[in-house]
Amino acid sequence: MIIPVVLLSSALLIGVSGCKPKNAGDATGSDVASRVYVPPGKYDEFYNFVSGGFSGQVSVYGIPSGRLLRVIPVFSVDPEKGWGYSEETKPMLNTSHGTVPWDDQHHLALSQTDGVIDGRWLFANANNTPRVARIDLTTFRTSEIIEIPNTGGNHSSPFITENSEYVVTGTRFSVPMDFEPGDVPIESYKKNFKGTISFLSVAPESGEMNIAFQLLLPGMNFDLSHTGKGPSSGWFFFSCYNSELAHTLLEVNASKRDKDYILAVNWKKAEEYIKAGKGTKRPAKYAHNVYDESTHSATSTMMNEVTVIDVKDFPDIVYMIPCPKSPHGCDVDPTGEYIVGSGKLAALIPVFSFSKIQKAIADKAFDGAYEGIPVIKYEAALHGEVTKPGLGPLHTEFDDKGNAYTTFFISSEVVKWNVKNLNVIDRIPTYYSPGHLCIPGGDTKKPYGKYLIAYNKITKDRYLPTGPELSQSAQLIDISGEKMKLLADYPSIGEPHYAQALPADLIKDKSVKIFKLDDNNHPYVTKGEKESKVVREGNKVHVYATMIRSHFNPDNIEGIKEGDEVYFHVTNLEQDWDVPHGFAIKGAINAELLVMPGETATFKWIAPKPGIYPFYCTDFCSALHQEMSGYIRVSAKGSSVPIAFSLGKNSDPEAAAGGTPTP
Ligand code: K7E
Ligand code: CUA
């Protein structure tokens, strides 16, 4: 039995709990606990990378246990890890608008080789201030963030081609282009607002991204996309809504037409035009931020040009395929032949055939044009429709046996259907209103069809109440048999949208354990305690400090004057796995630093009013962690207290044991 969420919530309001779906008790079945139980000391089978939505971060879970392994800071500052607070990481959040400390993170794409997840990088989008990040899967840290110009909301992003040639993004909001006047009446939408799709090249070795080219399109809203593969290699598919080109009350005005579109892009063709010099260079301002593992520091470069192709002038790059009612998910099956469009308001799911699309293009089976782009006849592109699948289809992933799994937001369920014959095979309720779902490898040539995770938007009665806000809920579903089986519920960080997963064996042994101190090329590194020092340069003071269990060197610092700009460059000398040290100063208008073994990080501090300021290590690093601390003396501006720094130079000379006293 399927309960629309509206009914369900009203039932909850009047205290009726007896209308839960009949099989809600499934997850308590006797063998279920053992399916998700990962005994102490054992590893999970899959890494699951989950978008953080309005948290701006990416979280990493183990599957099947549902254990949270790590939160990777990406687009939002993270005081826990000093992300965006240390001098080294501040440039990562730079944009053409200045420092942006937050974003909304929806989609993730793992790098691929020949259409199969290769375990090198994870790409993530920032929806609000358009950006794409690359996370290195050896360090589990963000290595690069690039801003996307001529874009109003980077939602249809990032999606990746089969050999990671390009990370592809599409704008959610059409906007006037950056190289044209922006101060135009909103009413002039149809004339002045344009949509764009961007192709970011990914360097094969380093993974470094660059905006290779952008396609200029009519002012629609691009929603989601996926790459072609196998036979559809070289093509990319985007769902579009607001073909009405409305600019107000989109809820009504962008839902008028019976059909919107899937945009089929022949990116190989576009690439040819670019190589032949057919693109136009346009001014654009966007930040390209790169974190260097050798200097443990990021740099931000402001870029000033982008190459664009107006598809009006190159009509064989793009084609439109009508798709019922505000399509959201746009998913390509593992064979690359079938493209699934999920109309949020549609009562069926259309499945398009790539070979039919090709035939339709060859035969010119067009139904006129949309803003100059040929529209392929719906029937000519259609493989078939899944009829009566459920209400509010959003997203589809695939298993390794020819089945598709679609989430239904309104009817709160996941529905399994056969891609070839389009018959519904099974359905399972979710709690409640799922958005995306994830099957490890479920959008690649090689799905690992064992588990499915549904990311639910509404949690209501699933967990102990925690005030007005409940954590969003993930649900792990066993898809190894004919029938789906609910295995577990677990809370998630932020609001997950898309997620990706890969077999743990693919990357777990490549995970970095320490940074080699010898390879640390940070300009302010201190490679041994003897090199610790404090250097004044005008009103700037550089503290070259070290950390090792369980002291700082130096730990007594004097001669700092009110208003000085003090930079604490702290190097963690440890060369052991899992021994970070932290750094915090009383009253500092900053977050802590959390410094990994072999790494240097910098804490900027404007010396406040005269007095004594304790600092300490924030990460419990040894039995004597509580002793890992120090004092800074701040003197008045005109004071003659000289710079002095020491470790172990106690006031009672008898008690001064060990350390490296410095005059
Ligand atoms: Cu459906 Cu932003 Cu991919 Cu959310 S989106 S659910
Ligand atoms: Cu170092 Cu606690």
Side-chain angles (χ1 to χ4, degrees):
M1 177 170 124
I2 309 306
I3 302 170
V5 77
V6 209
L7 294 183
L8 188 76
S9 48
S10 53
L12 288 169
L13 279 177
I14 53 166
V16 178
S17 60
C19 70
K20 277 187 191 170
K22 279 202 191 76
N23 42 355
D26 262 4
T28 56
S30 58
D31 66 321
V32 166
S34 65
R35 292 290 319 273
V36 299
Y37 182 64
V38 178
K42 291 279 183 273
Y43 289 144
D44 275 292
E45 205 179 333
F46 293 95
Y47 282 101
N48 184 199
F49 300 95
V50 184
S51 62
F54 43 62
S55 87
Q57 319 295 44
V58 171
S59 42
V60 187
Y61 287 82
I63 297 293
S65 72
R67 296 185 293 203
L68 174 65
L69 305 176
R70 182 167 179 77
V71 175
I72 304 173
V74 187
F75 294 111
S76 294
V77 292
D78 183 353
E80 178 194 328
K81 301 176 186 80
W83 181 252
Y85 292 96
S86 71
E87 292 308 294
E88 288 76 6
T89 57
K90 279 177 183 172
M92 292 301 283
L93 300 178
N94 191 36
T95 73
S96 63
H97 307 271
T99 300
V100 175
W102 168 89
D103 219 298
D104 182 17
Q105 201 282 299
H106 282 220
H107 304 118
L108 296 168
L110 285 162
S111 57
Q112 297 181 17
T113 301
D114 193 25
V116 177
I117 293 167
D118 61 24
R120 292 185 294 165
W121 307 299
L122 175 69
F123 297 88
N125 76 323
N127 201 1
N128 184 48
T129 302
R131 286 169 289 169
V132 172
R134 179 172 53 86
I135 294 157
D136 185 319
L137 293 181
T138 64
T139 58
F140 285 69
R141 299 215 283 201
T142 304
S143 297
E144 186 182 4
I145 293 180
I146 191 165
E147 194 179 352
I148 318 290
N150 296 320
T151 298
N154 182 40
H155 190 266
S156 186
S157 164
F159 292 89
I160 195 159
T161 57
E162 276 169 298
N163 285 295
S164 308
E165 297 97 332
Y166 295 105
V167 164
V168 182
T169 76
T171 189
R172 170 182 177 187
F173 305 110
S174 283
V175 284
M177 295 294 92
D178 296 346
F179 49 83
E180 280 167 353
D183 178 11
V184 294
I186 299 168
E187 273 188 359
S188 70
Y189 186 100
K190 283 186 187 161
K191 177 163 167 262
N192 290 320
F193 290 46
K194 287 191 186 79
T196 52
I197 286 171
S198 308
F199 285 75
L200 281 53
S201 60
V202 178
E205 285 303 313
S206 67
E208 194 164 310
M209 297 180 283
N210 270 296
I211 302 180
F213 58 91
Q214 295 191 305
L215 301 181
L216 250 55
L217 289 141
M220 290 172 294
N221 298 28
F222 296 100
D223 205 14
L224 283 154
S225 49
H226 261 102
T227 187
K229 44 174 113 60
S232 55
S233 264
W235 287 72
F236 225 95
F237 304 93
F238 295 82
S239 56
C240 324
Y241 63 106
N242 192 20
S243 51
E244 295 85 352
L245 304 181
H247 55 81
T248 178
L249 196 63
L250 263 58
E251 178 184 8
V252 175
N253 293 329
S255 310
K256 282 189 175 152
R257 292 197 180 173
D258 199 38
K259 290 196 172 67
D260 287 280
Y261 298 101
I262 298 245
L263 180 77
V265 178
N266 184 342
W267 64 261
K268 277 278 178 199
K269 194 97 228 159
E271 196 183 45
E272 279 169 28
Y273 285 130
I274 290 292
K275 283 188 180 145
K278 299 282 166 75
T280 311
K281 291 215 182 338
R282 295 292 201 168
K285 200 178 159 209
Y286 57 101
H288 185 191
N289 311 331
V290 180
Y291 189 85
D292 181 333
E293 289 295 350
S294 153
T295 59
H296 299 289
S297 306
T299 48
S300 177
T301 310
M302 206 52 74
M303 312 296 285
N304 49 32
E305 202 173 64
V306 74
T307 303
V308 299
I309 282 195
D310 193 330
V311 301
K312 272 204 317 292
D313 308 325
F314 303 92
D316 56 347
I317 300 177
V318 288
Y319 301 90
M320 306 284 251
I321 305 159
C323 185
K325 291 274 166 211
S326 306
H328 188 57
C330 180
D331 301 287
V332 181
D333 89 313
T335 69
E337 168 63 11
Y338 300 108
I339 300 119
V340 180
S342 299
K344 298 189 288 274
L345 305 174
L348 51 82
I349 305 175
V351 180
F352 300 100
S353 145
F354 182 74
S355 43
K356 284 191 168 180
I357 293 169
Q358 291 309 297
K359 185 166 186 305
I361 293 172
D363 297 350
K364 296 208 159 37
F366 298 143
D367 220 348
Y370 174 83
E371 304 284 319
I373 302 171
V375 176
I376 296 173
K377 286 202 168 88
Y378 179 70
E379 289 74 18
L382 192 70
H383 162 59
E385 293 167 342
V386 185
T387 49
K388 300 227 175 99
L391 298 173
L394 289 187
H395 298 284
T396 300
E397 292 256 286
F398 304 89
D399 69 10
D400 50 344
K401 300 186 193 79
N403 301 309
Y405 299 77
T406 302
T407 48
F408 289 85
F409 182 82
I410 299 173
S411 54
S412 270
E413 57 185 331
V414 172
V415 174
K416 173 181 178 181
W417 49 277
N418 182 281
V419 178
K420 277 230 170 82
N421 67 26
L422 307 170
N423 290 335
V424 170
I425 298 164
D426 190 26
R427 51 181 74 234
I428 188 169
T430 60
Y431 308 92
Y432 306 90
S433 296
H436 276 274
L437 74 172
C438 165
I439 292 171
D443 67 336
T444 70
K445 270 187 185 168
K446 187 182 174 185
Y448 302 82
K450 190 169 176 184
Y451 299 111
L452 179 160
I453 308 114
Y455 297 97
N456 301 304
K457 298 299 184 189
I458 297 165
T459 310
K460 290 220 189 285
D461 55 9
R462 297 304 282 184
Y463 304 130
L464 285 173
T466 53
E469 195 192 7
L470 291 155
S471 160
Q472 256 88 0
S473 176
Q475 288 190 300
L476 182 70
I477 293 166
D478 172 9
I479 56 163
S480 58
E482 177 84 354
K483 288 250 165 224
M484 293 177 278
K485 192 165 188 173
L486 178 61
L487 299 178
D489 282 16
Y490 50 90
S492 51
I493 306 262
E495 186 199 352
H497 294 257
Y498 199 23
Q500 297 260 279
L502 52 72
D505 287 338
L506 196 58
I507 61 170
K508 76 173 182 354
D509 298 328
K510 293 182 206 154
S511 185
V512 165
K513 294 193 166 76
I514 58 160
F515 296 107
K516 285 208 188 87
L517 196 56
D518 287 345
D519 298 345
N520 182 332
N521 292 316
H522 192 289
Y524 292 96
V525 65
T526 311
K527 292 205 178 176
E529 295 204 67
K530 287 206 181 78
E531 294 162 34
S532 294
K533 60 186 173 188
V534 177
V535 179
R536 174 178 286 284
E537 288 167 7
N539 71 334
K540 289 199 173 85
V541 179
H542 291 279
V543 179
Y544 295 72
T546 59
M547 319 154 100
I548 196 159
R549 281 163 287 182
S550 291
H551 57 267
F552 292 93
N553 191 349
D555 68 358
N556 280 202
I557 300 169
E558 300 197 353
I560 306 293
K561 291 180 194 145
E562 184 174 358
D564 276 350
E565 231 173 72
V566 188
Y567 294 89
F568 296 89
H569 309 285
V570 285
T571 300
N572 180 344
L573 297 178
E574 307 282 354
Q575 293 287 272
D576 262 353
W577 192 19
D578 199 21
V579 193
H581 292 287
F583 182 77
I585 307 176
K586 179 190 169 186
I589 311 167
N590 204 341
E592 68 160 351
L593 297 179
L594 201 58
V595 191
M596 299 305 127
E599 187 183 39
T600 304
T602 302
F603 188 101
K604 183 180 174 181
W605 189 59
I606 305 295
K609 70 176 185 339
I612 297 291
Y613 294 86
F615 63 93
Y616 73 101
C617 168
T618 52
D619 186 305
F620 205 107
C621 49
S622 77
L624 295 175
H625 148 80
Q626 200 68 355
E627 281 73 5
M628 191 167 173
S629 61
Y631 289 109
I632 308 159
R633 175 182 172 192
V634 176
S635 305
K637 274 204 170 93
S639 132
S640 59
V641 177
I643 289 280
F645 51 97
S646 61
L647 168 72
K649 199 177 141 195
N650 231 322
S651 38
D652 173 6
E654 295 291 328
T660 45
T662 324

